[in-house]
Amino acid sequence: MLTFLSLALALLGAPAQAFAPVSLCQRAAAPSAASTVLRSHSADRRGFMSQAAIAISGAVALPRVAGADVDTEDFIKTGMVSMPMGVSGQAGKAKPVTGVVLREGSEVSRDGRGSVLAEILVGGKSSDPTPVLATFSSPWPLAKGGLFDVECRDASTGDGAFLTVAKGKGKGIADLPKTFFTESLFSSTGRFSFYGAPTDVKVKKSDVDGQYRILEIVFSNLSQSTNAEIPRTAVVAATIPEGTDDVVMLVGSATSNRWKRGAEKAVRDTVGSFKATLAPTSGMKVRAKGSA
């Protein structure tokens, strides 16, 4: 503590005697004045500590979340950072792994009608990736920030849909076991595992519609704000684009409570609009966004 105050005082150029305690003689002679002085010193000390924390921030690095806004004052007081996932999170949480790699020169977009377009690379950052256009229609806005790849969500309810890519097993979409999807979606680094791996995972339905596999999955997700397990329902549309092996999926979900109250339609409509097809040939280099 003394080291912290000494460093802060040195950085701020504040005299050490500024926080010297009021003497007993002073308090005995003028109780009211001494009380006022103490309150003044207390207020000055609080202001000093706030300034000191800012002044030494270069020496004591606060945890950061890439691309996310961090409320420094809130972190200093609580040891937590406010995440754009809609709840408070522990500092230093890693970004969920979705397997999505955007193509260089492209941007994720959503137009006024809710149509979402993203050009991704199947095969990830391999030497010969395949560009794929992923499209769907969403009633929710695009999620912004470094924690998201391709995702639309309602921040007030948690309803939403996100894109994810998983390495294939050399099988057709209809031949993949249900466990392939549950293990991919609920891995320890997955989108639903931000505060711990989901529990009570159960595949309720699994159907094939042409080149697409449609699954309905129920599970329980840990809420960091209440520390309770929240039942959730998800619908997944998965496909393997022609000439590739990776599985491209759109996952829409809502809490089971909201699902029963009408969120089901929005989720099913969104997932039902999903398409993933080979991108048209262009003069753009086929390489991952942000690569050297």
Side-chain angles (χ1 to χ4, degrees), residues 224-275:
Q224 193 272 343
S225 59
T226 62
N227 201 32
E229 296 285 344
I230 307 298
R232 199 169 183 88
T233 302
V235 176
V236 182
T239 189
I240 301 175
E242 182 181 356
T244 71
D245 185 48
D246 288 1
V247 181
V248 183
M249 296 174 271
L250 183 69
V251 184
S253 70
T255 63
S256 296
N257 186 39
R258 283 191 49 75
W259 185 268
K260 297 173 183 176
R261 295 184 177 184
E264 175 181 2
K265 185 180 187 306
V267 172
R268 288 194 185 279
D269 288 349
T270 298
V271 174
S273 68
F274 172 62
K275 300 294 179 186

Side-chain angles (χ1 to χ4, degrees), residues 29-278:
S32 298
S35 177
T36 301
V37 171
L38 283 173
R39 285 196 298 270
S40 175
H41 276 279
S42 178
D44 289 345
R45 183 178 179 84
R46 286 194 297 270
F48 163 75
M49 295 300 290
S50 296
Q51 294 180 46
I54 296 171
I56 66 168
S57 60
V60 182
L62 297 177
R64 300 184 63 85
V65 179
D69 293 327
V70 177
D71 186 338
T72 305
E73 182 178 355
D74 187 61
F75 172 77
I76 292 173
K77 291 188 296 183
T78 67
M80 308 288 282
V81 292
S82 295
M83 307 293 276
M85 308 284 282
V87 294
S88 294
Q90 292 183 356
K93 278 287 187 180
K95 174 183 175 179
V97 177
T98 64
V100 171
V101 177
L102 296 173
R103 182 176 183 174
E104 185 180 78
S106 70
E107 295 291 342
V108 182
S109 65
R110 178 179 178 271
D111 64 21
R113 296 174 298 176
S115 297
V116 178
L117 172 67
E119 187 168 7
I120 64 174
L121 297 182
V122 173
K125 297 182 179 180
S126 65
S127 59
D128 188 26
T130 303
V132 167
L133 285 181
T135 62
F136 59 95
S137 182
S138 166
W140 314 293
L142 280 174
K144 303 292 186 179
L147 291 173
F148 306 100
D149 290 313
V150 181
E151 179 166 345
C152 292
R153 69 189 304 270
D154 183 332
S156 64
T157 65
D159 300 354
F162 66 92
L163 199 66
T164 186
V165 179
K167 296 295 182 183
K169 301 293 185 180
K171 297 181 179 180
I173 195 68
D175 300 321
L176 289 169
K178 296 175 184 178
T179 53
F180 170 85
F181 299 96
T182 55
E183 290 173 1
S184 298
L185 296 176
F186 304 115
S187 69
S188 60
T189 58
R191 176 64 180 80
F192 289 122
S193 303
F194 199 73
Y195 297 113
T199 59
D200 304 322
V201 178
K202 180 180 179 181
V203 179
K204 293 182 65 177
K205 294 181 182 179
S206 178
D207 300 307
V208 176
D209 183 6
Q211 299 300 313
Y212 291 79
R213 180 87 168 264
I214 310 297
L215 302 97
E216 183 176 330
I217 306 173
V218 293
F219 58 98
S220 292
N221 215 25
L222 180 65
S223 169
Q224 193 272 343
S225 59
T226 62
N227 201 32
E229 296 285 344
I230 307 298
R232 199 169 183 88
T233 302
V235 176
V236 182
T239 189
I240 301 175
E242 182 181 356
T244 71
D245 185 48
D246 288 1
V247 181
V248 183
M249 296 174 271
L250 183 69
V251 184
S253 70
T255 63
S256 296
N257 186 39
R258 283 191 49 75
W259 185 268
K260 297 173 183 176
R261 295 184 177 184
E264 175 181 2
K265 185 180 187 306
V267 172
R268 288 194 185 279
D269 288 349
T270 298
V271 174
S273 68
F274 172 62
K275 300 294 179 186
T277 57
L278 297 181

